[in-house]
Amino acid sequence: MDGFDAAELLSAGPTIVGLGVELANSMLSSGFAHKVFGAFAALAAAIAGVKILLEIIEGEGAGEALAELVELILVVGIFLFMLQNYAWIFADSIKALFAGLAGAMGLGSGTEDVFGGIKALFKPIQNAFGVIFSPDDSWYSAIIKFVSNFLTVVVLLTALVALIGASIAYVAVYLMGDALAGVALAVGPFFVSLGVWEVTRGWFRNWLEFLVVAFMYKVVAGVLVLLLAKAFNAQMASLASGAIYATGGAGVEAAVSIGFAVKAVILASVILYLLLTAPSIAHGLAKGGMSMAESFVKGIIPGMSQSGKSAGGHAK
């Protein structure tokens, strides 16, 4: 992997995100999102007005309905601000937030450090093959060594395939996160417009969670690679040291044994499995964060949590 240019491969990710923002700007420029926003805001205002009239007619006073109207004005202002500053809030700010999170954990730009970790995963396997085969071996000697160590070589090749699969999985998760973020950003103005009305606000919440999860993909995948690379190398070094001590093989960097090869396969398979589950891990982390954020917003705008109770009270 020495000649592999990770930055060039992963450069497509930010490009997709940028294209998503451009499509969102086109939707905003067309006025479609603002029309949807205005329609739902007018509908919510009409419903609030009807509630005020009904409470006045019934002689109950319009206090509760007026409170809902004031709350609606606040919500309209918040979501209109989101629409007017869409790219800054949902693209630049959220992306910068997760870039800062990655930098704080030492992930760098998300390519060099992580791919350095992936390269490190291959080192113990490379050392193991170096024990079996010598660069000075003739083709005949290499074939003899391959046959005599056939089972070990096959198992080590299986570990190598698992590590290659893990590398592909990381690239896939990284690019998939940016692709999903690009899609979410492209259609985002529509979902922000839906947030102005209580009835359709759930769509906005689901869209926002989807966007946050997409940005979390590369962070989770990068952390997994760096953590697992260190753990894998430590385990392989321990196995090799034990085998060297047992066989008296001074200077041998990796043990050539079925036990070593099998353990390499198991550890490599665990790395592959965890990287394949990175999207699920990102979803679980983001979902918990979204729940806390929603609780905070509900504390600021009581109606977001009390509207259901109010509706229940009127039904009675």
Side-chain angles (χ1 to χ4, degrees):
M1 295 181 67
D2 291 336
F4 183 71
D5 189 352
E8 182 179 353
L9 176 64
L10 301 182
S11 63
T15 302
I16 296 173
V17 173
L19 290 173
V21 175
E22 289 182 11
L23 291 175
N25 288 334
S26 297
M27 184 188 298
L28 290 168
S29 299
S30 69
F32 173 76
H34 288 84
K35 290 177 182 177
V36 174
F37 175 85
F40 281 106
L43 182 59
I47 293 174
V50 170
K51 285 183 178 180
I52 292 174
L53 289 175
L54 288 176
E55 290 186 1
I56 292 175
I57 292 172
E58 293 175 359
E60 296 180 358
E64 186 176 344
L66 283 173
E68 291 184 14
L69 183 60
V70 171
E71 176 191 316
L72 174 61
I73 294 172
L74 176 61
V75 170
V76 168
I78 291 173
F79 281 93
L80 182 59
F81 177 80
M82 291 181 184
L83 275 181
Q84 296 297 105
N85 300 274
Y86 178 81
W88 174 71
I89 294 174
F90 296 107
D92 300 338
S93 298
I94 295 181
K95 184 166 64 174
L97 175 64
F98 285 105
L101 174 62
M105 292 185 293
L107 295 181
S109 65
T111 56
E112 291 85 357
D113 293 337
V114 171
F115 271 92
I118 290 178
K119 289 179 182 179
L121 289 173
F122 289 86
K123 199 65 177 178
I125 307 299
Q126 180 182 347
N127 292 337
F129 279 113
V131 175
I132 300 175
F133 304 102
S134 171
D136 299 327
D137 287 341
S138 64
W139 65 270
Y140 177 78
S141 177
I143 291 175
I144 295 298
K145 289 183 177 180
F146 174 78
V147 173
S148 60
N149 297 279
F150 177 76
L151 188 56
T152 300
V153 171
V154 170
V155 178
L156 285 174
L157 284 174
T158 304
L160 186 63
V161 169
L163 290 177
I164 293 173
S167 303
I168 295 173
Y170 170 74
V171 173
V173 170
Y174 188 102
L175 293 177
M176 184 168 59
D178 279 339
L180 293 176
V183 172
L185 289 169
V187 300
F190 173 71
F191 288 94
V192 174
S193 300
L194 296 180
V196 73
W197 190 24
E198 176 70 24
V199 176
T200 55
R201 192 169 296 148
W203 288 21
F204 166 74
R205 285 195 291 264
N206 291 339
W207 168 82
L208 184 58
E209 181 178 329
F210 182 90
L211 178 64
V212 171
V213 169
F215 278 122
M216 279 285 289
Y217 272 25
K218 64 177 67 177
V219 176
V220 171
V223 170
L224 282 175
V225 165
L226 293 183
L227 286 177
L228 295 173
K230 292 180 180 180
F232 182 78
N233 288 330
Q235 287 292 320
M236 291 295 99
S238 176
L239 291 171
S241 298
I244 291 168
Y245 177 78
T247 59
V252 179
E253 295 184 19
V256 181
S257 67
I258 296 299
F260 178 91
V262 169
K263 290 175 181 178
V265 170
I266 294 172
L267 291 172
S269 300
V270 169
I271 292 171
L272 173 60
Y273 172 76
L274 287 175
L275 279 171
L276 290 175
T277 60
S280 299
I281 296 173
H283 180 77
L285 291 173
K287 188 173 182 179
M290 289 297 296
S291 299
M292 293 182 64
E294 186 175 346
S295 299
F296 175 74
V297 174
K298 285 178 179 179
I300 299 176
I301 307 175
M304 291 184 68
S305 60
Q306 295 179 358
S307 57
K309 296 179 180 179
S310 298
H314 286 303
K316 292 180 181 179

